[in-house]
Amino acid sequence: MKYDFDQVIDRSRNRSSKYDERIKKFGTMDVIPLWVADMDFKTAQPIIDAVKAKAEEGIWGYTSRPDSYFDAICGWQKRRNGWEIDKSLVSWALGVVPALAGIIQVFSRPGDKVMIQTPVYSEFYDVTEALGRQVAENQLLEQDGTWVIDFDDFEKKAKEVKIFLLCSPHNPLGIVWTREQLKRMADICIANDVLLVSDEIHSDLIFHGKKHIPTAVISDEIKSHVISCISGTKTFNLAGLQASTTVFPNREMKEKYDYFWNSMDIHRNNAFSSVAMEAAFNGGEEWLEQLLEYLDGNFELIRTYCSEHIPQIKPNIPDATYLVWLDCRELGMDNESLRSFMIEKAGLGLNEGYTFGRSLTGFMRLNAACPRSVLEKALKQLEAAVRAL
């Protein structure tokens, strides 16, 4: 089947936070929303067909989760990443962020430190601090536009923390970590008795010949020390259906985690998410391959357009995710001025870079998962705003 990613879909009645919450986020509806990480594309037809069939049943009572649900998830990981998952060590969750919150709650205590690598997905800050834990930042170092791990600082911080939240692949920098990098981080965590929690939600969105390596496959020793969080919600644009999978290294940890959620009676998919996820992993591959090609075209548009028309803004073209990190420092603005400029002058709703790293100034994150005509319009608006400075 040939999918049309150029189709512009009206999401004004889609109950979409990306569109409906523009006033809350930006103070105006008059921006092109390129912020929160969902896509402006319809999902794969096999998923739509499966959800339609479920809707037509007309009975959506308490929902079971058949073995075929986890079979689909494990089969996908084996095909795509060579990861043989033990189904007996797998748990369901509402999403990766709720899973991270549950892991922090269960496996640490208030006041404990949790290490994150900034700039990183802002929820890593939020869930850690909301639960009364302290954030320890291992700041990634920028070297000529490339971001690398400060391993000296990583090893120092590892002596102080209880948990390390790894973003793999990395959001917002789009880094696909190498086996050597993953092993070195994991080895340091093991040596310092730090629980490594690997958020791999973007692991299907990989470009430029890179290969995602699940942290748990590097070695048997590392596998026994890592909790992995995976989901198809980013891959297939299903975030509103809320479902993810958490893979544990042993039964004891899984049972503690399950007890936490069961104590709040949170242990079932809704009637549609289980059907959609199973259909996605069993029948969504054709759609995904076409999506990846289209997104790569969007990245190339951003790269060439900025180079030729807006050289003051330097995009970090990602090897993973559909999120582009924009270096706007040559505009010479502080964070509040840059935010206002993007909203009021360029008419764009982007994510502020300082939410990913609180010491940063002059960065923005752009969601490139939209029809190319929308992206072209956004870039033209940005060019005009920069020229008017």
Side-chain angles (χ1 to χ4, degrees):
M1 182 174 178
K2 177 65 176 174
Y3 290 96
D4 181 12
F5 296 102
D6 283 319
Q7 180 186 7
V8 178
I9 299 168
D10 180 7
R11 297 189 67 184
S12 63
R13 298 181 182 179
N14 185 225
R15 300 192 182 188
S16 164
S17 61
K18 185 177 183 180
Y19 284 77
D20 294 351
E21 294 178 11
R22 280 178 286 181
I23 288 180
K24 178 182 176 182
K25 173 70 174 173
F26 305 108
T28 177
M29 292 290 283
D30 193 22
V31 292
I32 299 174
L34 302 173
W35 60 297
V36 67
D38 70 16
M39 297 186 272
D40 291 334
F41 307 129
K42 284 187 177 181
T43 192
Q45 194 60 45
I47 304 172
I48 295 172
D49 292 343
V51 172
K52 278 184 177 179
K54 186 64 180 176
E56 288 170 358
E57 290 175 7
I59 302 175
W60 311 304
Y62 291 119
T63 304
S64 68
R65 194 161 40 242
D67 286 342
S68 58
Y69 175 84
F70 287 120
D71 286 340
I73 294 166
C74 294
W76 178 268
Q77 287 295 331
K78 183 177 180 181
R79 291 196 309 277
R80 303 288 295 191
N81 298 316
W83 184 10
E84 293 269 6
I85 295 177
D86 181 349
K87 279 199 302 180
S88 70
L89 298 177
V90 169
S91 293
W92 171 83
L94 285 164
V96 166
V97 173
L100 296 176
I103 291 165
I104 292 171
Q105 182 80 354
V106 172
F107 298 107
S108 69
R109 297 179 179 179
D112 284 345
K113 292 183 179 181
V114 175
M115 180 163 60
I116 65 176
Q117 292 178 307
T118 55
V120 75
Y121 181 42
S122 59
E123 292 285 354
F124 280 26
Y125 279 112
D126 297 343
V127 296
T128 299
E129 294 174 337
L131 292 167
R133 278 64 170 174
Q134 300 179 59
V135 169
E137 292 188 44
N138 171 232
Q139 296 180 1
L140 298 174
L141 302 177
E142 184 190 9
Q143 298 177 350
D144 298 323
T146 300
W147 297 76
V148 298
I149 300 167
D150 183 346
F151 275 107
D152 289 338
D153 182 71
F154 187 96
E155 194 153 11
K156 178 182 176 182
K157 296 281 171 57
K159 299 181 187 304
E160 308 169 357
V161 306
K162 186 72 174 178
I163 295 174
F164 166 47
L165 300 182
L166 170 65
C167 196
S168 179
H170 189 276
N171 167 20
L173 299 178
I175 300 169
V176 179
W177 302 115
T178 66
R179 181 178 296 272
E180 292 72 25
Q181 289 169 322
L182 291 169
K183 184 178 186 306
R184 189 171 176 186
M185 287 188 283
D187 286 345
I188 293 171
C189 287
I190 292 169
N192 291 278
D193 196 26
V194 175
L195 175 61
L196 197 166
V197 183
S198 189
D199 170 2
E200 302 185 10
I201 195 170
H202 290 281
S203 61
D204 296 316
L205 302 165
I206 307 291
F207 307 91
H208 312 139
K210 301 291 184 176
K211 175 66 176 175
H212 170 70
I213 302 171
T215 308
V217 307
I218 297 172
S219 71
D220 288 340
E221 183 183 22
I222 291 171
K223 180 181 179 180
S224 67
H225 287 83
V226 62
I227 299 175
S228 303
C229 301
I230 56 177
S231 177
T233 53
K234 284 290 185 284
T235 309
F236 296 103
N237 207 28
L238 303 174
L241 290 179
Q242 296 186 308
S244 73
T245 303
T246 312
V247 185
F248 290 91
N250 57 63
R251 199 173 308 279
E252 180 184 1
M253 295 181 78
K254 171 179 162 56
E255 288 174 354
K256 288 180 179 178
Y257 174 88
D258 290 344
Y259 179 81
F260 171 77
W261 289 113
N262 288 339
S263 68
M264 295 181 285
D265 199 33
I266 300 175
H267 55 91
R268 297 182 189 275
N269 291 79
N270 70 58
F272 296 95
S273 73
S274 62
V275 170
M277 290 299 166
E278 193 169 329
F281 290 126
N282 286 334
E285 214 148 3
E286 179 183 46
W287 179 90
L288 175 59
E289 294 306 323
Q290 293 178 41
L291 169 75
L292 294 175
E293 182 179 355
Y294 190 87
L295 289 175
D296 198 31
N298 279 1
F299 296 153
E300 181 60 19
L301 170 63
I302 293 169
R303 187 190 66 78
T304 56
Y305 198 98
C306 287
S307 175
E308 295 172 6
H309 303 284
I310 328 172
Q312 302 92 330
I313 295 178
K314 296 176 173 55
N316 179 68
I317 301 304
D319 288 326
T321 83
Y322 43 74
L323 306 163
V324 178
W325 188 241
L326 300 178
D327 181 348
C328 308
R329 287 175 293 182
E330 285 190 21
L331 299 181
M333 300 180 186
D334 61 27
N335 285 328
E336 188 53 42
S337 298
L338 181 60
R339 179 181 187 277
S340 298
F341 170 79
M342 289 297 179
I343 297 169
E344 298 168 11
K345 303 300 183 182
L348 302 181
L350 310 180
N351 288 103
E352 301 87 353
Y354 63 82
T355 63
F356 301 89
R358 292 172 181 170
S359 63
L360 294 175
T361 300
F363 295 92
M364 303 292 286
R365 190 191 76 172
L366 180 149
N367 179 349
C370 61
R372 200 153 296 152
S373 61
V374 175
L375 187 58
E376 288 171 345
K377 184 174 188 295
L379 290 169
K380 289 177 181 178
Q381 289 179 193
L382 182 56
E383 177 191 4
V386 172
R387 286 183 179 276
L389 286 174

